[in-house]
């Protein structure tokens, strides 16, 4: 595992106050007073799961969602006592561990319950997952879902805590597939013999843009971090504040002769006398090779990344000599200019989620 390199001037800055305000703001806009479960999987979308989870709870979230049992266990180790739901599939052999730690598991098949019923634990909280069209995990057949409900009712190993589904296109302008999924979910879950405490379907996009689809809990991910789930395809209905920025410093600077080559492959050649600065951050930090040619901010000015991005370093062309130690901003505000996560995503041909989640554990997270 990469440990954070704290003796190097590259870091992610996380503004927890912005996360707090986003959660409060979104909560105030909920139409049916739904509970919020903050989605803090993948280290809280790279913001730090414990820190983001804590502040979301302080701001009114009543539970947390993670992708894996291990992510849930590290929240428990950090003394977070609120409900935690694992959204992915967990092997039956860890059912007892989940039960002992009071971590709720997602169940997507009846056989899982039959097998888990043979394990030794007191009470395990279960959320049944319905596949209404995402095509990832979940019940698609009402008969099987009814069978799962019967097991949950009969076997006091289990507490039937929730039932849910996930949308594939809630972030798109066209809502026809979204409506189809919603209809399927309502149909397959109509008149079930269990009155689940939580019925939940909404991710951020659903929470922001779709009415009457929150049921009684929403799973809030990207929006609590202040980012638009659609990139820029649909405008946000109200302001959210980005909490994430990425900074480093110039560690080396030189003036080069015309025709000087820079980095692996010698693909960049100076056109004239140029100032070239070296930044200690590279693709092992998650700043991918395809970011070559994208810009960073130095002294509020846009400077291009020249030559290939290396594993741990990259070079930029700056308009003048700057001191070693001058701040460099790869994402976020510097002077009067800002490099948005969306613009980096667009440049890299990906989505804002992937840009932040790619940034590795080698980068320390600094909290404001
Ligand atoms: N619920 C489930 C089941 C999810 O998988 C996710 C995000 C969320 C809620 C939160 O979504 P949001 O961040 O859009 O609010 N899951 C993923 C994923 O698997 N790939 O990208 C996002």
């Amino acid at each position: 595992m990469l440990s954070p390199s704290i003796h190097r001037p590259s870091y992610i800055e996380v503004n927890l106050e912005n996360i707090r305000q986003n959660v409060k703001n979104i909560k105030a806009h909920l139409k049916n007073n739904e509970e919020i479960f903050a989605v803090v999987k993948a280290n809280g979308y790279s913001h730090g799961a414990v820190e983001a989870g804590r502040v979301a709870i302080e701001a009114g979230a009543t539970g947390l969602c993670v992708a894996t049992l291990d992510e849930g266990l590290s929240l428990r180790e950090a003394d977070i006592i609120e409900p935690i739901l694992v959204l992915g599939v967990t092997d039956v052999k860890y059912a007892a561990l989940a039960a002992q730690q009071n971590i709720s598991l997602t169940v997507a098949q009846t056989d899982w319950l039959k097998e888990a019923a043979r394990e030794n634990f007191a009470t395990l909280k279960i959320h049944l997952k319905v596949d209404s069209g995402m095509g990832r995990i979940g019940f698609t057949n009402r008969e099987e879902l009814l069978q799962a409900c019967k097991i949950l009712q009969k076997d006091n190993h289990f507490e039937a805590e929730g039932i849910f589904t996930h949308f594939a296109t809630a972030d798109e302008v066209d809502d026809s597939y979204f409506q189809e999924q919603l209809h399927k979910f309502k149909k397959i879950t109509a008149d079930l013999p269990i009155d689940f405490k939580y019925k939940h379907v909404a991710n951020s996009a659903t929470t922001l843009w779709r009415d009457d689809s929150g049921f009684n809990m929403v799973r809030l991910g990207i929006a609590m971090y202040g980012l638009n789930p659609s990139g820029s395809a649909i405008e946000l209905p109200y302001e959210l504040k980005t909490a994430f920025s990425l900074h480093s410093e110039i560690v080396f600077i030189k003036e080069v002769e015309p025709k000087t080559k820079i980095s692996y492959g010698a693909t960049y050649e100076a056109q004239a006398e140029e100032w070239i600065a070296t930044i200690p951050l590279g693709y092992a930090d998650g700043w991918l090779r395809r970011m070559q040619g994208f810009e960073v901010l130095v002294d509020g000015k846009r400077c291009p990344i020249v030559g290939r991005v290396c594993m741990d370093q990259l070079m930029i062309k700056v308009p003048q000599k700057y001191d070693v130690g001058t701040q460099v901003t790869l994402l976020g505000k510097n002077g009067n200019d800002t490099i948005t996560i969306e613009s980096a995503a667009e440049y890299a041909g990906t989505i804002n989620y992937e840009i932040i989640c790619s940034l590795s554990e080698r980068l320390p997270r600094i909290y404001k």
Side-chain angles (χ1 to χ4, degrees), residues 39 41 45 65 87-88 129 134 136 164-166 200-205 207 219-225 229 351 353:
V39 182
K41 59 194 179 126
Y45 291 39
C65 295
L87 296 169
K129 176 72 178 279
M134 175 71 186
R136 194 162 61 178
F164 73 112
T165 196
H166 189 55
H200 49 109
V201 302
N203 53 3
S204 294
T207 308
R219 304 183 306 271
L220 194 65
I222 197 89
M224 79 174 221
Y225 304 104
I351 53 174
Y353 296 72

Short mmCIF file of all heavy atoms in Angstrom, two decimals, residues 39 41 45 65 87-88 129 134 136 164-166 200-205 207 219-225 229 351 353, ligand 1:
data_model
loop_
_atom_site.label_atom_id
_atom_site.label_comp_id
_atom_site.label_asym_id
_atom_site.label_seq_id
_atom_site.Cartn_x
_atom_site.Cartn_y
_atom_site.Cartn_z
N VAL A 39 -22.75 8.77 0.96
CA VAL A 39 -21.96 7.71 0.32
C VAL A 39 -20.48 8.08 0.43
O VAL A 39 -20.02 9.06 -0.15
CB VAL A 39 -22.38 7.53 -1.15
CG1 VAL A 39 -21.59 6.39 -1.79
CG2 VAL A 39 -23.89 7.24 -1.24
N LYS A 41 -17.93 5.69 0.06
CA LYS A 41 -17.07 4.63 -0.47
C LYS A 41 -15.85 5.24 -1.16
O LYS A 41 -15.80 6.46 -1.37
CB LYS A 41 -17.86 3.74 -1.42
CG LYS A 41 -18.48 4.42 -2.62
CD LYS A 41 -19.51 3.50 -3.27
CE LYS A 41 -20.17 4.15 -4.45
NZ LYS A 41 -20.08 3.35 -5.66
N TYR A 45 -14.98 9.22 -1.89
CA TYR A 45 -14.69 9.79 -3.22
C TYR A 45 -13.37 10.56 -3.16
O TYR A 45 -13.22 11.65 -3.70
CB TYR A 45 -15.82 10.71 -3.69
CG TYR A 45 -17.13 10.04 -4.04
CD1 TYR A 45 -17.62 8.99 -3.29
CD2 TYR A 45 -17.90 10.46 -5.11
CE1 TYR A 45 -18.83 8.37 -3.60
CE2 TYR A 45 -19.11 9.85 -5.43
CZ TYR A 45 -19.56 8.82 -4.66
OH TYR A 45 -20.77 8.21 -4.96
N CYS A 65 -23.02 5.00 3.47
CA CYS A 65 -22.93 3.87 2.54
C CYS A 65 -21.48 3.69 2.11
O CYS A 65 -20.78 4.68 1.86
CB CYS A 65 -23.74 4.13 1.27
SG CYS A 65 -25.50 4.26 1.51
N LEU A 87 -22.88 -1.45 -0.03
CA LEU A 87 -23.70 -1.46 -1.26
C LEU A 87 -23.38 -2.64 -2.19
O LEU A 87 -24.20 -3.03 -2.99
CB LEU A 87 -23.49 -0.15 -2.04
CG LEU A 87 -23.94 1.13 -1.32
CD1 LEU A 87 -23.43 2.36 -2.08
CD2 LEU A 87 -25.46 1.17 -1.20
N GLY A 88 -22.17 -3.15 -2.09
CA GLY A 88 -21.78 -4.26 -2.97
C GLY A 88 -22.16 -5.61 -2.37
O GLY A 88 -22.79 -5.69 -1.31
N LYS A 129 -31.60 -5.77 -2.68
CA LYS A 129 -31.32 -4.92 -3.85
C LYS A 129 -32.12 -5.43 -5.04
O LYS A 129 -32.08 -6.61 -5.38
CB LYS A 129 -29.82 -5.00 -4.17
CG LYS A 129 -29.38 -4.24 -5.43
CD LYS A 129 -29.43 -2.74 -5.21
CE LYS A 129 -28.96 -1.94 -6.41
NZ LYS A 129 -27.52 -1.81 -6.53
N MET A 134 -30.28 -1.33 -14.00
CA MET A 134 -28.86 -0.99 -13.98
C MET A 134 -28.04 -2.17 -14.52
O MET A 134 -26.96 -2.01 -15.07
CB MET A 134 -28.45 -0.63 -12.55
CG MET A 134 -26.98 -0.37 -12.32
SD MET A 134 -26.42 1.18 -13.08
CE MET A 134 -24.64 1.04 -12.75
N ARG A 136 -26.56 -4.62 -12.84
CA ARG A 136 -25.33 -4.86 -12.08
C ARG A 136 -25.56 -5.95 -11.05
O ARG A 136 -25.09 -7.06 -11.22
CB ARG A 136 -24.87 -3.53 -11.44
CG ARG A 136 -23.48 -3.53 -10.91
CD ARG A 136 -22.92 -2.13 -10.69
NE ARG A 136 -23.66 -1.34 -9.71
CZ ARG A 136 -23.30 -0.11 -9.33
NH1 ARG A 136 -22.22 0.45 -9.86
NH2 ARG A 136 -23.99 0.57 -8.44
N PHE A 164 -33.99 -1.56 -2.02
CA PHE A 164 -33.55 -0.42 -2.85
C PHE A 164 -33.20 -0.83 -4.27
O PHE A 164 -33.10 -2.00 -4.60
CB PHE A 164 -32.39 0.29 -2.18
CG PHE A 164 -31.03 -0.40 -2.19
CD1 PHE A 164 -29.98 0.11 -2.93
CD2 PHE A 164 -30.80 -1.54 -1.43
CE1 PHE A 164 -28.71 -0.49 -2.92
CE2 PHE A 164 -29.54 -2.15 -1.41
CZ PHE A 164 -28.49 -1.62 -2.16
N THR A 165 -33.03 0.21 -5.09
CA THR A 165 -32.54 0.01 -6.45
C THR A 165 -31.63 1.18 -6.81
O THR A 165 -31.47 2.13 -6.03
CB THR A 165 -33.72 -0.14 -7.44
OG1 THR A 165 -33.21 -0.68 -8.67
CG2 THR A 165 -34.41 1.20 -7.74
N HIS A 166 -31.01 1.08 -7.98
CA HIS A 166 -30.06 2.12 -8.41
C HIS A 166 -30.33 2.46 -9.87
O HIS A 166 -30.55 1.56 -10.69
CB HIS A 166 -28.63 1.59 -8.23
CG HIS A 166 -27.56 2.62 -8.42
ND1 HIS A 166 -27.53 3.80 -7.72
CD2 HIS A 166 -26.47 2.65 -9.24
CE1 HIS A 166 -26.46 4.50 -8.10
NE2 HIS A 166 -25.81 3.83 -9.02
N HIS A 200 -35.28 2.94 -0.70
CA HIS A 200 -34.43 4.01 -1.25
C HIS A 200 -34.00 3.74 -2.67
O HIS A 200 -33.66 2.61 -3.02
CB HIS A 200 -33.23 4.27 -0.34
CG HIS A 200 -32.44 3.06 0.09
ND1 HIS A 200 -31.18 2.80 -0.38
CD2 HIS A 200 -32.72 2.05 0.97
CE1 HIS A 200 -30.71 1.70 0.19
NE2 HIS A 200 -31.62 1.22 1.01
N VAL A 201 -34.05 4.78 -3.48
CA VAL A 201 -33.70 4.65 -4.90
C VAL A 201 -32.75 5.76 -5.36
O VAL A 201 -32.13 5.63 -6.41
CB VAL A 201 -34.95 4.68 -5.80
CG1 VAL A 201 -35.92 3.58 -5.42
CG2 VAL A 201 -35.66 6.03 -5.78
N ALA A 202 -32.67 6.84 -4.60
CA ALA A 202 -32.06 8.05 -5.15
C ALA A 202 -30.56 8.15 -4.92
O ALA A 202 -30.08 8.06 -3.79
CB ALA A 202 -32.73 9.29 -4.56
N ASN A 203 -29.83 8.34 -6.00
CA ASN A 203 -28.45 8.80 -5.93
C ASN A 203 -28.49 10.33 -5.97
O ASN A 203 -29.57 10.93 -5.87
CB ASN A 203 -27.62 8.21 -7.08
CG ASN A 203 -28.26 8.47 -8.44
OD1 ASN A 203 -29.29 9.13 -8.55
ND2 ASN A 203 -27.65 7.94 -9.49
N SER A 204 -27.35 10.99 -6.17
CA SER A 204 -27.35 12.46 -6.19
C SER A 204 -28.22 13.02 -7.30
O SER A 204 -29.00 13.95 -7.08
CB SER A 204 -25.93 13.00 -6.39
OG SER A 204 -25.14 12.69 -5.28
N ALA A 205 -28.06 12.47 -8.51
CA ALA A 205 -28.79 13.01 -9.66
C ALA A 205 -30.30 12.95 -9.42
O ALA A 205 -31.04 13.90 -9.69
CB ALA A 205 -28.42 12.25 -10.92
N THR A 207 -31.79 12.83 -6.51
CA THR A 207 -32.11 13.76 -5.42
C THR A 207 -32.21 15.19 -5.94
O THR A 207 -33.10 15.95 -5.54
CB THR A 207 -31.00 13.68 -4.34
OG1 THR A 207 -30.82 12.32 -3.97
CG2 THR A 207 -31.35 14.51 -3.13
N ARG A 219 -29.39 8.17 -1.11
CA ARG A 219 -27.96 7.82 -1.00
C ARG A 219 -27.18 8.91 -1.73
O ARG A 219 -27.11 8.93 -2.95
CB ARG A 219 -27.69 6.45 -1.63
CG ARG A 219 -28.52 5.31 -1.05
CD ARG A 219 -28.14 3.97 -1.68
NE ARG A 219 -28.21 3.96 -3.12
CZ ARG A 219 -29.28 3.67 -3.84
NH1 ARG A 219 -30.43 3.33 -3.23
NH2 ARG A 219 -29.24 3.68 -5.15
N LEU A 220 -26.61 9.77 -0.95
CA LEU A 220 -26.02 10.99 -1.51
C LEU A 220 -24.51 10.85 -1.66
O LEU A 220 -23.80 10.75 -0.66
CB LEU A 220 -26.36 12.13 -0.55
CG LEU A 220 -26.16 13.52 -1.07
CD1 LEU A 220 -27.09 13.83 -2.22
CD2 LEU A 220 -26.40 14.52 0.06
N GLY A 221 -24.05 10.83 -2.89
CA GLY A 221 -22.61 10.72 -3.15
C GLY A 221 -22.05 12.03 -3.67
O GLY A 221 -21.87 13.00 -2.94
N ILE A 222 -21.81 12.07 -4.96
CA ILE A 222 -21.05 13.15 -5.60
C ILE A 222 -21.53 14.56 -5.22
O ILE A 222 -20.73 15.47 -5.07
CB ILE A 222 -21.05 12.95 -7.15
CG1 ILE A 222 -19.96 13.76 -7.82
CG2 ILE A 222 -22.41 13.24 -7.77
CD1 ILE A 222 -18.65 13.07 -7.93
N ALA A 223 -22.84 14.73 -5.03
CA ALA A 223 -23.36 16.08 -4.77
C ALA A 223 -22.93 16.60 -3.40
O ALA A 223 -22.74 17.80 -3.22
CB ALA A 223 -24.88 16.10 -4.88
N MET A 224 -22.75 15.70 -2.44
CA MET A 224 -22.32 16.21 -1.13
C MET A 224 -20.89 16.74 -1.19
O MET A 224 -20.49 17.58 -0.38
CB MET A 224 -22.50 15.17 -0.03
CG MET A 224 -21.45 14.11 0.03
SD MET A 224 -21.73 13.08 1.49
CE MET A 224 -20.07 12.86 2.08
N TYR A 225 -20.14 16.24 -2.19
CA TYR A 225 -18.78 16.75 -2.38
C TYR A 225 -18.77 18.01 -3.26
O TYR A 225 -17.72 18.52 -3.62
CB TYR A 225 -17.90 15.65 -2.99
CG TYR A 225 -17.91 14.38 -2.15
CD1 TYR A 225 -18.64 13.26 -2.54
CD2 TYR A 225 -17.23 14.33 -0.95
CE1 TYR A 225 -18.68 12.11 -1.77
CE2 TYR A 225 -17.26 13.19 -0.15
CZ TYR A 225 -17.99 12.08 -0.57
OH TYR A 225 -18.02 10.95 0.21
N PRO A 229 -23.41 15.69 -10.78
CA PRO A 229 -23.40 14.29 -11.23
C PRO A 229 -23.42 14.16 -12.76
O PRO A 229 -23.01 13.13 -13.28
CB PRO A 229 -24.68 13.68 -10.65
CG PRO A 229 -25.29 14.70 -9.78
CD PRO A 229 -24.60 16.01 -9.97
N ILE A 351 -15.04 11.34 -16.43
CA ILE A 351 -16.03 12.05 -15.61
C ILE A 351 -15.36 12.55 -14.33
O ILE A 351 -14.33 12.02 -13.91
CB ILE A 351 -17.23 11.14 -15.26
CG1 ILE A 351 -16.77 9.82 -14.64
CG2 ILE A 351 -18.06 10.87 -16.51
CD1 ILE A 351 -17.89 8.93 -14.14
N TYR A 353 -16.08 12.08 -11.30
CA TYR A 353 -15.91 11.01 -10.31
C TYR A 353 -14.54 10.34 -10.47
O TYR A 353 -13.85 10.04 -9.50
CB TYR A 353 -16.94 9.90 -10.51
CG TYR A 353 -18.41 10.19 -10.34
CD1 TYR A 353 -19.11 10.94 -11.27
CD2 TYR A 353 -19.12 9.62 -9.28
CE1 TYR A 353 -20.48 11.13 -11.13
CE2 TYR A 353 -20.48 9.82 -9.13
CZ TYR A 353 -21.16 10.58 -10.06
OH TYR A 353 -22.51 10.77 -9.93
N1 LIG B 1 -25.92 4.22 -4.57
C1 LIG B 1 -25.21 3.29 -5.23
C2 LIG B 1 -25.67 1.87 -5.23
C3 LIG B 1 -24.05 3.67 -5.92
O1 LIG B 1 -23.34 2.73 -6.57
C4 LIG B 1 -23.66 5.04 -5.91
C5 LIG B 1 -22.47 5.55 -6.66
C6 LIG B 1 -24.43 5.95 -5.20
C7 LIG B 1 -25.57 5.51 -4.55
C8 LIG B 1 -24.11 7.43 -5.15
O2 LIG B 1 -24.16 7.98 -6.41
P1 LIG B 1 -23.80 9.52 -6.65
O3 LIG B 1 -22.36 9.68 -6.31
O4 LIG B 1 -24.04 9.72 -8.10
O5 LIG B 1 -24.67 10.27 -5.76
N2 LIG B 1 -21.79 4.59 -7.41
C9 LIG B 1 -20.97 4.87 -8.45
C10 LIG B 1 -20.40 3.87 -9.21
O6 LIG B 1 -20.58 2.60 -8.97
N3 LIG B 1 -19.68 4.38 -10.18
O7 LIG B 1 -19.79 5.70 -10.09
C11 LIG B 1 -20.56 6.03 -9.02
#
